[in-house]
């Protein structure tokens, strides 16, 4: 088997070529040997890359013929869809759509977390919030984003729902990128700290509805900051 890093690099480059229009939706995919030569990888690596993009609906296998590149509307892989949205002049729209998804998922997660959290989860949330404050004061953007993501990861673990965790996992990379967009603005970091503190307080009380409402407030604040302070509407 080819090395995963080389295969994933080939997947990204092939997907970028499709998104950029160098390989057109509806057309046949060039032969694997030709693609391997063009991208400077082995045929085995390219074959595995094509297989992975088939799994995301980007490439469609056609019996008795070469593979076909599917229209974006037929793509089923979250990674591919988000990569297309954020690479085709629609970053603003994709950021807002991601927040809508987070609103639906994370408010429910906070509600479950309030009912199921243990002391170790409350300690983890407090540690992450403390790290957010410290990293904000130090001007450490990467550290702030890491602590922010960890805060939400602890909530997911406290919710104790394996399907919920699996559903959110594919969004991890995208979440980190969008957190970087908003957290680059100091006042947005201050807003985030206040909202996270309210979420922690609500979860600590064990009040499920209060936790849900606190998370909804956090998501709305994030959306408002994104629209007004990042996108400049």
């Amino acid at each position: 088997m080819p090395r995963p890093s080389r295969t994933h690099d080939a997947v990204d480059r092939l997907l970028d070529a499709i998104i950029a229009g160098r390989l057109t939706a509806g057309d046949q995919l060039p032969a694997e040997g030709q693609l391997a030569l063009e991208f400077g990888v082995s045929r085995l690596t390219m074959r595995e890359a094509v297989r992975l993009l088939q799994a995301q609906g980007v490439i469609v296998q056609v019996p008795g013929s070469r593979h076909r590149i599917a229209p974006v509307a037929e793509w089923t892989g979250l990674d591919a869809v988000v990569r297309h949205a954020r690479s085709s002049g629609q970053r603003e729209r994709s950021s807002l759509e991601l927040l809508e998804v987070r609103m639906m998922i994370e408010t429910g997660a906070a509600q479950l977390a309030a009912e199921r959290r243990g002391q170790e989860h409350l300690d983890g949330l407090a540690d992450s919030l403390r790290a957010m404050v410290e990293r904000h004061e130090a001007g450490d953007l990467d550290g702030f984003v890491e602590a922010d993501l960890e805060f939400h990861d602890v909530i997911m673990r406290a919710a104790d729902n394996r399907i919920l965790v699996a559903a959110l996992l594919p969004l991890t990379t995208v979440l980190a990128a969008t957190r970087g967009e908003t957290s680059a603005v100091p006042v947005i970091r201050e807003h985030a700290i206040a909202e996270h503190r309210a979420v922690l307080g609500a979860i600590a009380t064990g009040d499920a509805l209060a936790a849900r409402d606190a998370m909804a407030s956090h998501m709305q604040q994030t959306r408002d900051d994104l629209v007004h302070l990042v996108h400049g509407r």
Side-chain angles (χ1 to χ4, degrees):
M1 288 290 291
R3 292 185 301 173
S5 58
R6 186 167 295 175
T7 300
H8 292 158
D9 179 64
V11 168
D12 289 344
R13 292 170 62 194
L14 183 54
L15 184 56
D16 285 343
I18 293 170
I19 291 171
R22 296 195 297 275
L23 297 172
T24 309
D27 289 353
Q28 286 186 329
L29 187 72
E32 288 178 358
Q34 178 183 337
L35 288 171
L37 185 62
E38 179 181 344
F39 288 96
V41 297
S42 69
R43 293 187 64 165
L44 181 58
T45 295
M46 183 52 64
R47 185 175 301 120
E48 183 65 11
V50 169
R51 187 189 67 79
L52 291 174
L53 286 178
Q54 279 183 262
Q56 297 194 60
V58 178
I59 294 172
V60 179
Q61 186 173 16
V62 181
S65 181
R66 291 208 306 269
H67 299 328
R68 176 177 61 84
I69 301 169
V72 177
E74 297 179 9
W75 295 5
T76 56
L78 181 62
D79 289 344
V81 171
V82 172
R83 191 179 185 93
H84 176 271
R86 295 183 64 79
S87 302
S88 59
Q90 301 182 49
R91 292 180 65 87
E92 181 174 337
R93 176 182 173 182
S94 66
S95 296
L96 292 174
E97 287 177 337
L98 181 61
L99 270 175
E100 290 172 352
V101 173
R102 288 185 62 198
M103 173 72 83
M104 289 182 278
I105 293 176
E106 297 203 45
T107 51
Q111 183 172 348
L112 289 175
E115 298 171 339
R116 301 174 179 177
R117 90 290 185 275
Q119 187 58 47
E120 71 276 14
H121 298 117
L122 295 179
D123 292 342
L125 290 172
D127 289 344
S128 297
L129 179 58
R130 190 177 306 110
M132 288 177 66
V133 173
E134 292 172 352
R135 298 282 66 80
H136 167 60
E137 293 175 348
D140 179 1
L141 176 58
D142 290 341
F144 182 90
V145 170
E146 182 180 353
D148 185 350
L149 290 171
E150 176 59 23
F151 185 96
H152 289 269
D153 284 348
V154 174
I155 292 176
M156 291 297 164
R157 295 197 294 272
D160 194 27
N161 184 304
R162 293 172 297 176
I163 296 176
L164 175 66
V165 173
L168 196 61
L169 190 60
L171 292 174
T172 301
T173 301
V174 185
L175 287 174
T178 56
R179 291 292 213 292
E181 285 183 350
T182 53
S183 299
V185 183
V187 69
I188 294 181
R189 297 200 298 270
E190 293 173 2
H191 292 165
I193 289 170
E195 294 290 338
H196 281 74
R197 186 172 286 119
V199 170
L200 171 54
I203 291 176
T205 67
D207 186 330
L209 295 183
R212 182 194 65 189
D213 291 345
M215 182 61 78
S217 172
H218 171 34
M219 294 293 103
Q220 185 61 49
Q221 180 67 60
T222 301
R223 188 186 192 284
D224 291 345
D225 285 343
L226 184 65
V227 169
H228 301 300
L229 300 179
V230 176
H231 297 160
R233 288 188 189 176

